[in-house]
Amino acid sequence: MNQIKKISNQSGGNISISQKIVSELNSQSQIFDLVDMAIAFHQHGMLEEASLIYEKILIKDPGHIDAMNLLGLIALQKKEYPHAIELINKAISASPHNNVPEFHVNLGCALHQEGLLDESIASFDLAISLNPSVVLYYTKRGLAQLEKKYFDSAINSFDQAIELSSQDSMSFYYRGLAQLEKKYFNDAINSFDQAIKLKDDFSEAFNNRGIAQLGGKYFDAAIESFDCAIRLKPDYSEALWNKGLVLLKLGRFEEGWMLYEARLKKSPAFPLVRQELQYSYIEVDQLANKSVLLFSEQGIGDTIQFYRYVKKIANLNARVTVAVQKSLVDLLSESNPLWSIVSIEGALPESDYRSSLLSLPFVLQEKCIDIHADNPYIFSSPLKVSEWKNRLGTKQKPRIGLVWSGNTLFKENANRSIPLLQLIPFLPSDLQYVSLQKELSDFDLKVLERNAFISNYASYLIDFNETAALIDCLDLVITVDTSIAHLAGAMGKKAWLLLSDNADWRWFIDTESSPWYPTIKIFRQDQLGDWSSVLKRVELELGAQFR
């Protein structure tokens, strides 16, 4: 600090601090004085001034490893990651036996920020081997492992950090995040508890403890955790949204819909289909003769599920346009000709009001008891149905549609999907099966080729108009939690929904029926990952109903 004050006091008039530094650098200052001066500027966030001095040091002494490293650290702070990596690598190469752990840690941080996670982890490993007693090294390695999805390794790194210091709330918090990813819910709850014990205003730990409690089906405890997070940070949109999800899952709609609106401030799970779309709050008593644009916000299943509310807005004498995913345009245009259906990917009309479809239950103050009053509300094209009947040929056995996998880009898809090979042994051979999967992996294609009793029409399923017509030709749809479940339900078609343990909020808890879709029957896992018991119940039910 004295160095900075000295230069500041000497740089009166029109002479800038940078100019005065240049003057100092051109003097006969000793390197150790320059190092002290550079570090003083660096510590006070004056990065440009510090850089000037580090560069002068390197001119005087090209092998000055501390100046190389600290100049690299400034590049890291300025988010110039490739330059930081280059400089810090030079410092490591110039150091005796490459044995300065701090250099390897700085390099690991730069590599992490550049997305080179494996290389980053290797750098932290080297730093730890050189000095295994620094908590921060394990924490940084754990964070890189967490981002790389090496969750078990991350847990081990945070365990080692905690062993060195049981008073570091962040190590407990990060360990909880890794345990949450592994679905070790009780372990995660314990880690977040420890973080909160050390830091009682840790709103993020309360929020993530709530997520872990929700995963463990401790619903009341989860609500209390989210409430704690919200008390600490009243505008904490993610905690508000998470609490809303629990309330909706429990069927507590009145408060749940209101809190679900918090997703509009920050959507933790789904990006908007069109980022630039702006919401305007709909006043239902002022919609007569007003133009309203309703648009898709999340996935196709969400669009289908909440499309039921469009009619209620149109019934308020509003002029309605609905912007949906391109694959739904033809189907919804034929189903409901009373309002305009457009692709959300194209040009959108001006309107008096704009709202996401998913906000309509809140706008309309919907109660759970009313939500399936208008089923069915989506209808297939008679012409397309006729085409599919010809394509399928004469019906000789009951026809069963199958969907075993969801969107692979969805984070929880592995939990909600069933391997086709696991499904096949539970399908009675005296029924006719039709795949409703539009996208098939190379492996699934090979499985279907070896199991010709499942017909594959993926090449014909170019949009949901085709899929809906095919569904209309079937006696039953068996599906995991995908858009096809919503489509079959919205069409009023008989469907069996195969759900993972503690599934999405919209399927509620401990029920075999759905208030959204009265024609859907739910088969739930008894425990996470156990599809065998679910498929055995399906096999028995197929035998009872179709033999």
Coordinates of all heavy atoms in Angstrom, one line a residue, residues 21-80:
I21 N 4.7 5.1 -13.2 CA 5.3 3.7 -13.1 C 6.4 3.5 -14.2 O 7.4 3.0 -13.9 CB 4.2 2.7 -13.2 CG1 3.3 2.7 -12.0 CG2 4.8 1.3 -13.4 CD1 2.0 1.8 -12.2
V22 N 6.1 4.0 -15.4 CA 7.1 3.9 -16.5 C 8.3 4.6 -16.1 O 9.5 4.1 -16.3 CB 6.5 4.4 -17.8 CG1 7.6 4.5 -18.8 CG2 5.3 3.6 -18.3
S23 N 8.2 5.8 -15.5 CA 9.4 6.5 -15.0 C 10.2 5.7 -14.0 O 11.4 5.6 -14.0 CB 8.9 7.8 -14.4 OG 10.0 8.5 -13.9
E24 N 9.4 5.1 -13.0 CA 10.1 4.3 -12.0 C 10.8 3.1 -12.7 O 11.9 2.7 -12.3 CB 9.1 3.8 -11.0 CG 8.5 4.8 -10.0 CD 9.5 5.1 -9.0 OE1 10.3 4.2 -8.5 OE2 9.6 6.3 -8.5
L25 N 10.2 2.5 -13.7 CA 10.7 1.3 -14.3 C 12.0 1.7 -15.1 O 12.9 0.8 -15.2 CB 9.7 0.7 -15.3 CG 8.4 0.1 -14.6 CD1 7.5 -0.5 -15.7 CD2 8.8 -0.9 -13.5
N26 N 12.1 2.9 -15.6 CA 13.3 3.4 -16.3 C 14.4 3.8 -15.4 O 15.5 4.1 -15.8 CB 12.9 4.5 -17.2 CG 12.1 4.1 -18.4 OD1 12.1 2.9 -18.8 ND2 11.2 4.9 -18.9
S27 N 14.1 3.8 -14.1 CA 15.1 4.1 -13.1 C 16.0 2.9 -12.8 O 15.8 1.9 -13.4 CB 14.5 4.7 -11.8 OG 13.8 3.6 -11.1
Q28 N 16.8 3.0 -11.8 CA 17.7 1.9 -11.4 C 17.2 1.1 -10.3 O 17.9 0.6 -9.5 CB 19.1 2.5 -11.0 CG 19.8 3.2 -12.2 CD 20.0 2.4 -13.4 OE1 20.5 1.2 -13.3 NE2 19.6 2.9 -14.6
S29 N 15.8 1.0 -10.2 CA 15.2 0.3 -9.1 C 15.6 -1.2 -9.1 O 15.8 -1.8 -10.2 CB 13.7 0.3 -9.2 OG 13.2 1.6 -9.2
Q30 N 15.8 -1.7 -7.9 CA 16.2 -3.1 -7.8 C 15.0 -4.0 -8.1 O 13.9 -3.6 -7.9 CB 16.8 -3.4 -6.4 CG 18.0 -2.6 -6.1 CD 19.2 -3.0 -7.0 OE1 19.5 -4.2 -7.2 NE2 19.9 -2.0 -7.5
I31 N 15.3 -5.3 -8.5 CA 14.2 -6.2 -8.9 C 13.3 -6.4 -7.7 O 12.0 -6.5 -7.8 CB 14.7 -7.5 -9.5 CG1 15.2 -7.2 -10.9 CG2 13.7 -8.6 -9.4 CD1 15.7 -8.5 -11.6
F32 N 13.9 -6.6 -6.5 CA 13.0 -6.9 -5.3 C 12.1 -5.8 -5.0 O 11.0 -5.9 -4.5 CB 13.9 -7.3 -4.1 CG 14.8 -6.3 -3.6 CD1 14.4 -5.3 -2.8 CD2 16.2 -6.3 -4.0 CE1 15.3 -4.3 -2.3 CE2 17.1 -5.4 -3.5 CZ 16.6 -4.4 -2.7
D33 N 12.5 -4.5 -5.3 CA 11.6 -3.3 -5.1 C 10.5 -3.4 -6.1 O 9.4 -3.1 -5.8 CB 12.4 -2.0 -5.3 CG 13.4 -1.8 -4.1 OD1 13.1 -2.2 -3.0 OD2 14.5 -1.2 -4.3
L34 N 10.9 -3.7 -7.3 CA 9.8 -3.8 -8.4 C 8.8 -4.9 -8.1 O 7.6 -4.7 -8.3 CB 10.5 -4.1 -9.7 CG 11.4 -3.0 -10.3 CD1 12.0 -3.5 -11.6 CD2 10.6 -1.7 -10.5
V35 N 9.3 -6.0 -7.5 CA 8.4 -7.1 -7.2 C 7.4 -6.6 -6.1 O 6.2 -6.9 -6.2 CB 9.2 -8.3 -6.7 CG1 8.2 -9.4 -6.1 CG2 9.9 -9.0 -7.8
D36 N 7.9 -6.0 -5.1 CA 7.1 -5.4 -4.0 C 6.0 -4.5 -4.6 O 4.9 -4.5 -4.2 CB 7.9 -4.7 -2.9 CG 8.7 -5.7 -2.1 OD1 8.4 -6.9 -2.1 OD2 9.6 -5.3 -1.3
M37 N 6.5 -3.6 -5.5 CA 5.6 -2.6 -6.1 C 4.5 -3.3 -6.9 O 3.3 -3.0 -6.8 CB 6.4 -1.7 -7.0 CG 5.5 -0.5 -7.5 SD 6.4 0.4 -8.8 CE 8.0 0.8 -8.0
A38 N 4.9 -4.3 -7.7 CA 3.9 -5.0 -8.6 C 2.9 -5.7 -7.7 O 1.7 -5.7 -8.0 CB 4.6 -6.0 -9.5
I39 N 3.3 -6.4 -6.7 CA 2.4 -7.2 -5.8 C 1.4 -6.2 -5.1 O 0.2 -6.5 -5.0 CB 3.2 -8.0 -4.8 CG1 3.9 -9.2 -5.5 CG2 2.3 -8.6 -3.7 CD1 4.8 -10.0 -4.6
A40 N 1.9 -5.0 -4.7 CA 1.0 -4.1 -4.1 C -0.1 -3.7 -5.0 O -1.3 -3.6 -4.6 CB 1.8 -2.9 -3.6
F41 N 0.3 -3.4 -6.3 CA -0.8 -3.0 -7.3 C -1.7 -4.2 -7.5 O -2.9 -4.0 -7.6 CB -0.1 -2.5 -8.6 CG 0.4 -1.1 -8.5 CD1 1.7 -0.8 -8.5 CD2 -0.5 -0.1 -8.5 CE1 2.2 0.5 -8.5 CE2 -0.1 1.3 -8.5 CZ 1.2 1.5 -8.5
H42 N -1.1 -5.4 -7.6 CA -1.9 -6.6 -7.9 C -2.9 -6.8 -6.9 O -4.1 -7.1 -7.1 CB -0.9 -7.8 -8.1 CG -1.5 -9.0 -8.8 ND1 -0.8 -10.0 -9.3 CD2 -2.8 -9.3 -9.0 CE1 -1.5 -10.9 -9.8 NE2 -2.8 -10.5 -9.7
Q43 N -2.5 -6.7 -5.6 CA -3.4 -7.0 -4.5 C -4.5 -6.0 -4.4 O -5.6 -6.3 -3.8 CB -2.6 -7.0 -3.2 CG -1.7 -8.2 -3.0 CD -0.8 -8.2 -1.8 OE1 -0.6 -7.1 -1.2 NE2 -0.3 -9.3 -1.3
H44 N -4.3 -4.8 -4.9 CA -5.4 -3.8 -4.9 C -6.2 -3.7 -6.2 O -6.9 -2.8 -6.5 CB -4.7 -2.4 -4.6 CG -4.4 -2.3 -3.1 ND1 -3.2 -2.8 -2.6 CD2 -5.1 -1.7 -2.1 CE1 -3.2 -2.6 -1.3 NE2 -4.3 -1.9 -1.0
G45 N -6.0 -4.8 -7.0 CA -6.8 -4.9 -8.2 C -6.4 -4.0 -9.4 O -7.2 -3.8 -10.3
M46 N -5.2 -3.4 -9.3 CA -4.8 -2.5 -10.3 C -3.9 -3.3 -11.3 O -2.7 -3.3 -11.3 CB -4.0 -1.3 -9.7 CG -4.8 -0.5 -8.7 SD -3.9 0.7 -7.8 CE -3.6 1.9 -9.1
L47 N -4.6 -4.1 -12.1 CA -4.0 -5.1 -12.9 C -3.1 -4.6 -14.0 O -2.0 -5.2 -14.3 CB -5.1 -6.1 -13.5 CG -6.0 -6.8 -12.5 CD1 -6.9 -7.7 -13.2 CD2 -5.2 -7.5 -11.4
E48 N -3.5 -3.5 -14.7 CA -2.7 -3.0 -15.8 C -1.4 -2.5 -15.2 O -0.3 -2.7 -15.8 CB -3.5 -1.9 -16.5 CG -4.8 -2.3 -17.2 CD -4.5 -3.4 -18.2 OE1 -3.4 -3.4 -18.8 OE2 -5.4 -4.2 -18.4
E49 N -1.5 -1.8 -14.1 CA -0.2 -1.2 -13.5 C 0.7 -2.4 -13.0 O 1.9 -2.3 -13.3 CB -0.6 -0.3 -12.3 CG -1.3 1.0 -12.7 CD -2.8 0.8 -12.9 OE1 -3.3 -0.3 -12.8 OE2 -3.4 1.8 -13.2
A50 N 0.1 -3.4 -12.4 CA 0.9 -4.5 -12.0 C 1.5 -5.2 -13.2 O 2.7 -5.6 -13.1 CB 0.0 -5.5 -11.2
S51 N 0.8 -5.4 -14.3 CA 1.3 -6.0 -15.5 C 2.5 -5.3 -16.0 O 3.5 -5.9 -16.4 CB 0.2 -6.1 -16.6 OG -0.8 -6.9 -16.2
L52 N 2.5 -4.0 -16.0 CA 3.6 -3.2 -16.5 C 4.9 -3.5 -15.8 O 6.0 -3.7 -16.3 CB 3.3 -1.7 -16.4 CG 2.4 -1.0 -17.4 CD1 2.1 0.4 -17.0 CD2 3.1 -1.0 -18.8
I53 N 4.7 -3.6 -14.5 CA 5.9 -3.9 -13.6 C 6.4 -5.3 -13.8 O 7.6 -5.6 -13.9 CB 5.6 -3.6 -12.1 CG1 5.0 -2.2 -12.0 CG2 6.8 -3.7 -11.3 CD1 4.5 -1.8 -10.7
Y54 N 5.5 -6.3 -13.8 CA 5.9 -7.7 -14.0 C 6.7 -7.8 -15.4 O 7.7 -8.5 -15.5 CB 4.7 -8.6 -14.0 CG 4.1 -8.8 -12.7 CD1 2.7 -8.9 -12.6 CD2 4.8 -9.0 -11.5 CE1 2.0 -9.1 -11.3 CE2 4.2 -9.2 -10.3 CZ 2.8 -9.2 -10.2 OH 2.2 -9.4 -9.0
E55 N 6.2 -7.1 -16.4 CA 6.8 -7.2 -17.7 C 8.2 -6.6 -17.6 O 9.2 -7.1 -18.3 CB 6.0 -6.5 -18.7 CG 4.7 -7.3 -19.1 CD 3.7 -6.5 -19.9 OE1 3.9 -5.3 -20.1 OE2 2.6 -7.0 -20.2
K56 N 8.4 -5.5 -16.9 CA 9.7 -4.8 -16.7 C 10.7 -5.8 -16.0 O 11.8 -5.9 -16.4 CB 9.6 -3.5 -15.9 CG 10.9 -2.8 -15.7 CD 11.5 -2.4 -17.0 CE 12.8 -1.6 -16.7 NZ 13.4 -1.1 -18.0
I57 N 10.1 -6.5 -15.0 CA 11.0 -7.4 -14.2 C 11.5 -8.5 -15.2 O 12.7 -8.9 -15.1 CB 10.1 -8.1 -13.1 CG1 9.8 -7.0 -12.0 CG2 10.9 -9.2 -12.5 CD1 8.8 -7.5 -11.0
L58 N 10.6 -9.0 -16.1 CA 11.0 -10.0 -17.0 C 12.0 -9.5 -18.0 O 12.8 -10.3 -18.6 CB 9.8 -10.7 -17.7 CG 8.9 -11.5 -16.8 CD1 7.6 -11.9 -17.5 CD2 9.6 -12.7 -16.3
I59 N 12.0 -8.2 -18.4 CA 13.0 -7.7 -19.2 C 14.4 -7.7 -18.5 O 15.4 -8.1 -19.1 CB 12.6 -6.3 -19.7 CG1 11.4 -6.3 -20.6 CG2 13.8 -5.6 -20.4 CD1 10.8 -5.0 -20.9
K60 N 14.3 -7.3 -17.2 CA 15.6 -7.3 -16.5 C 16.1 -8.7 -16.2 O 17.3 -9.0 -16.1 CB 15.3 -6.5 -15.1 CG 15.2 -5.0 -15.2 CD 14.9 -4.4 -13.9 CE 14.9 -2.9 -13.9 NZ 16.3 -2.4 -13.9
D61 N 15.1 -9.6 -15.9 CA 15.5 -11.0 -15.5 C 14.5 -11.9 -16.2 O 13.4 -12.3 -15.6 CB 15.4 -11.2 -14.0 CG 15.8 -12.6 -13.6 OD1 16.1 -13.4 -14.5 OD2 15.7 -12.8 -12.4
P62 N 14.8 -12.4 -17.5 CA 13.8 -13.2 -18.2 C 13.5 -14.6 -17.5 O 12.5 -15.2 -17.8 CB 14.6 -13.5 -19.5 CG 15.6 -12.4 -19.6 CD 16.0 -12.1 -18.2
G63 N 14.3 -14.9 -16.5 CA 14.0 -16.2 -15.8 C 13.3 -16.0 -14.5 O 13.3 -17.0 -13.7
H64 N 12.7 -14.9 -14.3 CA 12.1 -14.6 -13.0 C 10.8 -15.3 -12.9 O 9.8 -14.8 -13.4 CB 11.9 -13.1 -12.8 CG 11.7 -12.7 -11.4 ND1 10.6 -13.0 -10.7 CD2 12.5 -12.0 -10.5 CE1 10.6 -12.5 -9.4 NE2 11.8 -11.9 -9.3
I65 N 10.8 -16.5 -12.3 CA 9.6 -17.3 -12.3 C 8.4 -16.8 -11.6 O 7.2 -17.0 -12.0 CB 9.9 -18.8 -11.8 CG1 10.4 -18.7 -10.3 CG2 10.9 -19.4 -12.7 CD1 10.6 -20.1 -9.7
D66 N 8.6 -16.0 -10.5 CA 7.4 -15.4 -9.8 C 6.7 -14.4 -10.7 O 5.5 -14.3 -10.7 CB 7.9 -14.8 -8.5 CG 8.3 -15.8 -7.5 OD1 7.6 -16.9 -7.4 OD2 9.2 -15.6 -6.7
A67 N 7.5 -13.6 -11.4 CA 6.9 -12.6 -12.3 C 6.1 -13.3 -13.4 O 5.0 -12.9 -13.8 CB 8.0 -11.7 -12.9
M68 N 6.7 -14.4 -14.0 CA 6.0 -15.1 -15.0 C 4.6 -15.7 -14.5 O 3.6 -15.5 -15.1 CB 6.8 -16.3 -15.5 CG 8.0 -16.0 -16.3 SD 8.8 -17.6 -16.8 CE 10.5 -17.0 -17.1
N69 N 4.7 -16.3 -13.3 CA 3.5 -16.9 -12.7 C 2.5 -15.8 -12.4 O 1.3 -15.9 -12.7 CB 3.9 -17.6 -11.4 CG 2.7 -18.1 -10.6 OD1 1.8 -18.8 -11.1 ND2 2.5 -17.6 -9.4
L70 N 2.9 -14.7 -11.8 CA 2.0 -13.6 -11.4 C 1.4 -12.9 -12.6 O 0.2 -12.5 -12.6 CB 2.6 -12.7 -10.4 CG 2.9 -13.3 -9.1 CD1 3.8 -12.4 -8.3 CD2 1.7 -13.6 -8.3
L71 N 2.2 -12.8 -13.7 CA 1.6 -12.2 -14.9 C 0.6 -13.2 -15.5 O -0.4 -12.7 -16.0 CB 2.8 -12.0 -15.9 CG 2.5 -11.0 -17.1 CD1 2.1 -9.7 -16.6 CD2 3.7 -10.9 -18.0
G72 N 0.9 -14.5 -15.4 CA -0.1 -15.4 -15.8 C -1.4 -15.4 -15.0 O -2.5 -15.5 -15.5
L73 N -1.2 -15.1 -13.7 CA -2.4 -15.0 -12.8 C -3.2 -13.8 -13.2 O -4.5 -13.9 -13.1 CB -1.9 -14.9 -11.3 CG -3.0 -15.0 -10.3 CD1 -3.7 -16.3 -10.4 CD2 -2.3 -14.9 -8.9
I74 N -2.6 -12.7 -13.6 CA -3.3 -11.5 -14.0 C -4.1 -11.9 -15.3 O -5.3 -11.5 -15.5 CB -2.4 -10.3 -14.3 CG1 -1.9 -9.7 -12.9 CG2 -3.1 -9.3 -15.1 CD1 -1.0 -8.6 -13.1
A75 N -3.5 -12.6 -16.2 CA -4.2 -13.0 -17.5 C -5.4 -13.9 -17.1 O -6.4 -13.8 -17.7 CB -3.2 -13.8 -18.4
L76 N -5.2 -14.7 -16.1 CA -6.3 -15.6 -15.6 C -7.5 -14.7 -15.1 O -8.6 -14.9 -15.4 CB -5.8 -16.5 -14.5 CG -6.9 -17.4 -13.8 CD1 -7.6 -18.3 -14.8 CD2 -6.2 -18.3 -12.7
Q77 N -7.1 -13.7 -14.3 CA -8.1 -12.8 -13.7 C -8.8 -12.0 -14.8 O -10.0 -11.6 -14.7 CB -7.5 -11.8 -12.7 CG -7.0 -12.5 -11.4 CD -6.2 -11.5 -10.6 OE1 -5.0 -11.4 -10.7 NE2 -6.8 -10.9 -9.6
K78 N -8.1 -11.7 -15.9 CA -8.7 -10.9 -17.0 C -9.4 -11.9 -18.0 O -9.8 -11.4 -19.1 CB -7.6 -10.1 -17.7 CG -7.0 -9.0 -16.9 CD -5.7 -8.4 -17.4 CE -6.0 -7.7 -18.7 NZ -4.7 -7.0 -19.2
K79 N -9.5 -13.2 -17.7 CA -10.2 -14.2 -18.5 C -9.5 -14.4 -19.8 O -10.1 -14.8 -20.8 CB -11.6 -13.8 -18.7 CG -12.4 -13.7 -17.4 CD -13.9 -13.4 -17.6 CE -14.6 -13.3 -16.3 NZ -16.0 -13.1 -16.4
E80 N -8.2 -14.1 -19.9 CA -7.4 -14.4 -21.0 C -6.7 -15.8 -20.8 O -5.5 -15.9 -20.6 CB -6.3 -13.3 -21.2 CG -7.0 -11.9 -21.5 CD -5.9 -10.8 -21.4 OE1 -4.8 -11.1 -21.1 OE2 -6.3 -9.6 -21.7

